[in-house]
Amino acid sequence: MPLFIKPGGVRCRIAPSPTGNLHIGTARAALFNYLFAKKYGGKFILRIEDTDIERSDKVFEKNILEGLQWLGINADEGPEAGGPHAPYRQSERTASYKKYIKKLLDEGRAFYCFHSEQELKFEAKEQMSMKLPLFHLCSFRDMPQSEAETKKAAGQSAIIRFKIPTEPSNHQITFQDLIRNQVHFFTGLLGDFSIAKNLETPLYNFAVVVDDHEMAITHVIRGEDHIPNTPKQLLIAEALGWTTTNEFGDIVPPWRYAHLPLILGPDCSKLSKRHGATSVDEYREQGYLPEALFNFMALVGWNPGTDKEIFTKEELIQEFSIENVQKAGAIFDIQKLDWMNGEYIRRKPLSELAELTMPFLKESGLLQITNHKSQITNDYLKKVLALEQPRLKKLSEIGERTDYFFRAPAYNKGLLRWKDMNDEKVLAALKRAEEIIKLKVKSLKSKIEIEKIFLEEIGEGDKGEILWPLRVALTGKKASPSPFEIMEILGKEESLKKLKTATRKITG
Ligand code: GLU
């Protein structure tokens, strides 16, 4: 299907509603819009859809803006970046909506509906009991506007509905979708849908069409949950005179649609809290890197047609193709994200990794910063990080993996036992390790040297009898890097101190 790349350039948008924190689904939609726009040298626009005054909150708006910025999905136009189509918040665009709602009312394409909520609920209940599709073909649809105005002036409350064309009845609406090809709908199932609470308060389906038109959007790339809204939006656009008709009589909007597959959890149901984190800031807090999440999300529903999985931002922009976005639901595979995050962690220079892990070490109470100075040197921190960099999957794991480098380990003396060793044997092993360090190892500068000396000294036999109690004395953990690597970082004095503590644990 032709991609509809306009000579004036591609203009994509993400239009989040600030009724919750930045959701992974919205971030993925933003990313696909961004990649598509950038691939064709176009613009990526951010529009805040805060028409739902009761549920919209500035706190959520801030969270969304910060989340996108953290991910590096930067808008060319938006509430912060500004742009030629400002304002980019729906709450500031009332004048436009009012103008177009009025136009539809004046032209008889919209009308005031005076049915109460109760009446509408009753109607819906009846339709449900008869297993009919739910829709409201309103008895006020042909009431002259002047009469409706009088009713309103007398204090009767009303909302504004779009007058669905009934001629021809149950007309088929077809639209082209860049991912799903042709999508069909029947107008008979839509009813006279609502478009505004009043002239100043448009509802989503109306506001979105006005904005996409006024912001000269060329491609509407969004979640498949919006497919049912699309015929309504097409009819509104047509009524406002912004569409054309093709040779088959289909309404052709000035933009192309692409509806993205739903994001699913590993059990193939829609991704939800049940599966784990669903908002971008939760991933940030758990120690995922923005580059990793960016790369990972690009592969949720899109595949490059090769086995390649690690992409730079530039590569993704080049290689992204809307044609290769799948129709079927896309699994959010957290294990793959963990793997990918680890890959990105391994690519970080140690100085940057130190910066990145610092907040996590502070949060776990391992790193104290007083007067801008920490209790450890940057060099020490880098050595600790170098040890764990090959294994780390998330920055947040750093505390639990390296705590023994920052404070005395807490453990049960039983952990010092290798196989069926008793306390006496453990004590002897700790003493032997102490002797080797004191007498044989000049400095603990090189893990290779330390290892060589220890292995020579232990000689034949079960090495675990010395090395296990030694390693546990240093770390207090069942699993950790080798004692040689650890001693190299801790140094002679600190290693001996830890052996003493272990001895005291047994002797009481
Ligand atoms: N405000 C809508 C949402 O957050 C945007 C839908 C659209 O992209 O048209 O889902």
Side-chain angles (χ1 to χ4, degrees):
M1 184 184 299
L3 290 182
F4 194 63
I5 308 299
K6 279 190 169 181
V10 165
R11 289 178 59 82
C12 293
R13 87 312 191 262
I14 187 71
S17 305
T19 53
N21 288 336
L22 179 60
H23 190 275
I24 281 290
T26 310
R28 198 264 318 240
L31 175 60
F32 281 26
N33 275 286
Y34 175 85
L35 293 176
F36 186 81
K38 295 294 140 189
K39 180 177 174 117
Y40 296 105
K43 295 269 190 282
F44 170 64
I45 292 116
L46 170 63
R47 179 170 77 225
I48 296 291
E49 297 209 329
D50 54 353
T51 43
D52 187 342
I53 303 155
E54 274 128 52
R55 289 176 61 229
S56 295
D57 195 322
K58 282 279 174 202
V59 174
F60 296 134
E61 181 181 315
K62 187 166 175 274
N63 178 281
I64 291 167
L65 296 177
E66 282 177 359
L68 290 172
Q69 198 181 25
W70 177 72
L71 283 165
I73 306 176
N74 302 320
D76 300 299
E77 296 172 27
E80 288 183 323
H85 302 280
Y88 292 91
R89 258 184 216 98
Q90 287 189 331
S91 55
E92 295 163 19
R93 302 179 59 78
T94 316
S96 283
Y97 308 131
K98 192 171 178 176
K99 178 172 89 187
Y100 293 117
I101 298 171
K102 259 180 131 118
K103 180 172 153 72
L104 292 187
L105 283 169
D106 290 346
E107 291 173 2
R109 303 297 308 262
F111 64 92
Y112 283 105
C113 159
F114 294 92
H115 285 112
S116 67
E117 234 170 88
Q118 242 177 347
E119 287 170 316
L120 294 171
K121 267 192 193 146
F122 181 77
E123 182 183 63
K125 221 167 139 187
E126 289 239 292
Q127 287 171 341
M128 264 191 286
S129 71
M130 288 190 283
K131 295 202 165 49
L132 289 172
L134 302 188
F135 69 95
H136 177 66
L137 207 54
C138 189
S139 53
F140 292 102
R141 67 197 319 263
D142 293 318
M143 177 181 271
Q145 218 193 131
S146 55
E147 206 178 308
E149 292 295 351
T150 317
K151 247 171 124 63
K152 276 198 327 129
Q156 290 219 31
S157 61
I159 60 160
I160 300 166
R161 288 181 183 275
F162 185 81
K163 196 192 282 185
I164 195 86
T166 45
E167 283 303 321
S169 71
N170 210 10
H171 176 56
Q172 178 174 284
I173 297 182
T174 300
F175 71 88
Q176 306 291 330
D177 188 288
L178 295 179
I179 297 167
R180 282 144 218 279
N181 295 318
Q182 290 198 333
V183 184
H184 309 285
F185 273 94
F186 289 95
T187 54
L189 297 175
L190 296 178
D192 297 322
F193 56 89
S194 48
I195 56 170
K197 288 188 184 164
N198 53 52
L199 290 179
E200 271 85 31
T201 320
L203 294 172
Y204 159 69
N205 277 315
F206 185 80
V208 84
V209 173
V210 171
D211 290 341
D212 286 341
H213 166 75
E214 295 208 323
M215 295 180 183
I217 297 302
T218 58
H219 295 81
V220 172
I221 304 173
R222 60 185 178 188
E224 69 170 39
D225 46 327
H226 286 293
I227 293 178
N229 291 323
T230 308
K232 296 178 186 171
Q233 293 173 12
L234 281 173
L235 287 169
I236 294 169
E238 184 193 36
L240 288 168
W242 298 333
T243 60
T244 52
T245 311
N246 68 12
E247 71 258 45
F248 309 107
D250 301 328
I251 304 168
V252 181
W255 45 78
R256 282 292 174 274
Y257 287 106
H259 286 96
L260 304 173
L262 217 58
I263 303 184
L264 309 176
D267 61 352
C268 291
S269 68
K270 190 177 166 186
L271 185 74
S272 72
K273 281 260 165 251
R274 219 161 28 85
H275 300 111
T278 52
S279 69
V280 168
D281 57 358
E282 287 173 279
Y283 285 91
R284 184 181 182 169
E285 280 156 24
Q286 285 178 27
Y288 290 94
L289 297 175
E291 309 90 305
L293 197 54
F294 188 104
N295 186 160
F296 171 77
M297 285 194 308
L299 299 172
V300 178
W302 171 73
N303 81 77
T306 64
D307 289 344
K308 185 168 165 176
E309 292 194 292
I310 304 287
F311 292 86
T312 62
K313 190 178 199 174
E314 287 66 36
E315 285 171 338
L316 281 172
I317 290 171
Q318 283 229 321
E319 293 181 40
F320 181 77
S321 51
I322 201 87
E323 304 93 315
N324 281 1
V325 174
Q326 70 197 46
K327 286 194 210 49
I331 308 256
F332 191 89
D333 180 355
I334 193 84
Q335 281 175 355
K336 183 163 161 185
L337 172 60
D338 284 352
W339 164 79
M340 198 173 271
N341 204 50
E343 291 293 308
Y344 275 88
I345 286 178
R346 279 179 269 303
R347 282 156 210 232
K348 288 277 175 210
L350 283 175
S351 50
E352 200 184 331
L353 196 56
E355 289 281 316
L356 289 165
T357 47
M358 212 88 93
F360 292 93
L361 289 167
K362 272 193 237 166
E363 202 183 295
S364 45
L366 296 170
L367 204 62
Q368 279 99 41
I369 312 271
T370 27
N371 294 335
H372 304 289
K373 278 202 146 151
S374 96
Q375 85 274 25
I376 54 141
T377 63
N378 214 20
D379 252 16
Y380 183 79
L381 179 58
K382 281 200 218 158
K383 280 185 201 158
V384 173
L385 292 174
L387 187 61
E388 284 299 336
Q389 192 175 27
R391 281 171 280 259
L392 212 55
K393 288 200 182 102
K394 291 185 264 182
L395 299 176
S396 55
E397 291 168 355
I398 196 69
E400 76 199 47
R401 282 181 169 277
T402 64
D403 53 357
Y404 55 92
F405 283 111
F406 303 91
R407 65 176 172 217
Y411 59 95
N412 228 311
K413 72 169 190 178
L415 194 60
L416 289 161
R417 288 189 200 130
W418 171 248
K419 294 185 180 162
D420 54 1
M421 278 170 107
N422 57 19
D423 280 359
E424 231 167 80
K425 280 197 167 169
V426 173
L427 271 183
L430 293 171
K431 200 162 176 9
R432 182 84 187 99
E434 196 183 319
E435 272 169 18
I436 299 175
I437 297 172
K438 270 190 181 154
L439 303 173
K440 304 282 172 185
V441 189
K442 272 200 238 69
S443 72
L444 289 185
K445 288 247 168 68
S446 142
K447 61 182 176 214
I448 299 173
E449 188 205 326
I450 310 169
E451 180 169 9
K452 199 167 144 245
I453 294 173
F454 260 86
L455 295 184
E456 267 169 26
E457 287 296 317
I458 297 170
E460 291 304 304
D462 188 354
K463 295 181 182 54
E465 289 200 352
I466 300 265
L467 297 184
W468 177 272
L470 167 63
R471 204 190 48 71
V472 172
L474 297 171
T475 63
K477 291 191 191 307
K478 264 194 193 133
S480 73
S482 82
F484 318 117
E485 293 170 287
I486 296 165
M487 285 195 284
E488 183 192 76
I489 298 171
L490 284 176
K492 205 160 172 172
E493 202 184 316
E494 194 54 38
S495 302
L496 288 170
K497 211 161 113 189
K498 288 195 150 75
L499 280 171
K500 272 225 153 48
T501 313
T503 305
R504 270 203 300 272
K505 260 189 202 284
I506 295 185
T507 57

